Amino acid sequence: MKSVIADNLVKTYNKGNVKALDGLSLDVEEGTVLSVLGPNGAGKTTTVRILATLLTPNSGSATVGGIDVIKHPEKVRQIIGLSGQYAAVDETLTGWDNLVMFGRLYHLNKKAAIKRADELLERFSLTDSAKRPIKTYSGGMRRRLDLAASLIVQPKVLFLDEPTTGLDPRGRQEMWGVIEELVKGGVTLLLTTQYLEEADQLADDIVVIDHGKVIARGTSDALKREVGGERLEVVVDHADISKTLEIVARVSGNKASLDEGLRRISAPVSTGSMALMEVLRSMDSEGIHALDVGLKRPSLDDVFMSLTGHAAEVEEVK
């Protein structure tokens, strides 16, 4: 069963001169995680805002939990949670006060709101700072509190827009654990992220969008296979870059790319270790010493660059 369906969504700004979504369609199977990836300005946040009833599309349709987001937004809001790019909390209140307030806004009685606030503060390791004003919280603490607020009513569908922005590696791992626990409990999740390893870790399915359109969809492994087989990578001194580029391109039969900062030259190869050995022999005959060399499987970064020609970045809010 599809918990989320978006069909041919179009959203324009500036009197139609800027098209944020251009016929975007996607769906999310109940109890799964769909990760939406795309470069800056691709339309990720706009998609989330339409599905969460915060924006109305110019055309197209969408349902969440079988409910039309345009005709019955109030019913959609009863079954969803949303954590946006920026923490939606009151900085003058304490963390505890914020969660109790959110509980009351969701029509919990005072006792139930306090109980739920205490549960969520413990779950997100915020109990010790519960009575401190939000303005004293770090960025990571605010992110955790914001996600906690989106879980007040235990939603059936959860929209997370860049949920781990500002978290350190430990905080990100903790957040991943919470997300995985929610999905195991039956929550359907649509996730946008700038961290490709996050999609790799959490997503059952991945959608790549660019210029407001879906340009690819599949599992992480399937998308990586589309890029090709293994990639050969060689790191050399600056003086040897030009000649090494020629060698890698000739042996691989593909255009070699260069990361100038890392002095790393790479190209997709179909013959794996055979290509690696041939490159090393050719470099040796030219008197070139490899500082580092190896083969690796394509990453989601490679998929991104191959499909969009851009790196993944945080999307600006419209």
Side-chain angles (χ1 to χ4, degrees):
M1 178 180 174
K2 306 293 185 184
S3 280
V4 178
I5 300 173
D7 184 27
N8 201 31
L9 292 178
V10 173
K11 181 63 179 178
T12 61
Y13 296 96
N14 193 22
K15 298 182 179 180
N17 293 322
V18 177
K19 187 169 284 189
L21 297 183
D22 188 14
L24 182 139
S25 297
L26 56 79
D27 57 71
V28 190
E29 195 74 28
E30 184 177 358
T32 67
V33 180
L34 176 70
S35 181
V36 180
L37 302 178
N40 185 34
K44 303 187 298 295
T45 294
T46 301
T47 301
V48 168
R49 288 182 169 186
I50 289 174
L51 293 172
T53 75
L54 299 178
L55 283 177
T56 301
N58 295 90
S59 62
S61 62
T63 60
V64 176
I67 305 168
D68 191 302
V69 302
I70 301 170
K71 295 180 180 178
H72 304 292
E74 71 289 345
K75 293 182 179 179
V76 172
R77 292 172 195 143
Q78 294 174 10
I79 65 168
I80 68 171
L82 169 65
S83 180
Q85 288 186 25
Y86 303 97
V89 292
D90 188 329
E91 292 194 351
T92 63
L93 299 178
T94 67
W96 185 86
D97 287 333
N98 265 279
L99 292 185
V100 171
M101 176 183 69
F102 278 113
R104 297 293 281 158
L105 289 172
Y106 277 110
H107 306 296
L108 298 181
N109 62 44
K110 186 175 181 179
K111 182 178 180 180
I114 291 173
K115 182 174 183 292
R116 186 61 176 153
D118 290 339
E119 291 172 349
L120 290 168
L121 287 165
E122 182 177 358
R123 187 177 195 178
F124 286 90
S125 303
L126 291 169
T127 300
D128 290 343
S129 53
K131 294 306 177 76
R132 283 169 44 194
I134 299 302
K135 60 185 177 183
T136 68
Y137 281 24
S138 67
M141 292 167 68
R142 292 178 186 224
R143 295 301 297 150
R144 297 205 303 274
L145 186 70
D146 195 46
L147 181 54
S150 73
L151 299 177
I152 289 285
V153 294
Q154 301 178 337
K156 295 180 180 178
V157 179
L158 184 59
F159 298 108
L160 300 183
D161 192 14
E162 310 284 3
T164 60
T165 297
L167 296 186
D168 59 25
R170 179 179 177 182
R172 192 171 300 135
Q173 289 284 346
E174 291 175 352
M175 188 73 81
W176 289 356
V178 171
I179 291 171
E180 288 171 339
E181 181 185 338
L182 290 169
V183 176
K184 286 178 182 178
V187 174
T188 301
L189 175 63
L190 188 147
L191 163 78
T192 76
T193 179
Q194 61 169 309
Y195 301 112
L196 301 183
E197 72 272 22
E198 191 158 87
D200 232 346
Q201 171 77 20
L202 298 173
D204 298 292
D205 217 5
I206 297 170
V207 163
V208 182
I209 67 175
D210 198 19
H211 296 98
K213 295 180 180 180
V214 173
I215 60 173
R217 177 167 185 163
T219 64
S220 176
D221 286 341
L223 290 174
K224 290 173 186 176
R225 284 195 296 270
E226 287 187 22
V227 176
E230 296 173 304
R231 292 186 69 85
L232 171 65
E233 294 188 346
V234 186
V235 178
V236 295
D237 285 325
H238 281 292
D240 297 321
I241 285 176
S242 179
K243 191 62 181 179
T244 306
L245 276 167
E246 294 177 12
I247 292 171
V248 172
R250 174 177 56 79
V251 173
S252 68
N254 295 292
K255 182 179 179 180
S257 59
L258 169 65
D259 184 323
E260 292 191 36
L262 298 176
R263 308 187 309 281
R264 183 174 61 200
I265 296 159
S266 64
V269 292
S270 58
T271 55
S273 59
M274 293 178 61
L276 174 62
M277 295 303 296
E278 177 61 26
V279 164
L280 288 175
R281 281 193 292 266
S282 297
M283 290 175 64
D284 185 58
S285 68
E286 295 287 342
I288 300 172
H289 173 65
L291 302 177
D292 192 16
V293 63
L295 293 167
K296 75 178 188 71
R297 291 184 61 208
S299 66
L300 281 180
D301 292 272
D302 298 321
V303 172
F304 231 99
M305 291 297 293
S306 174
L307 291 171
T308 70
H310 305 281
E313 299 172 336
V314 182
E315 184 173 9
E316 297 176 357
V317 179
K318 299 291 186 181

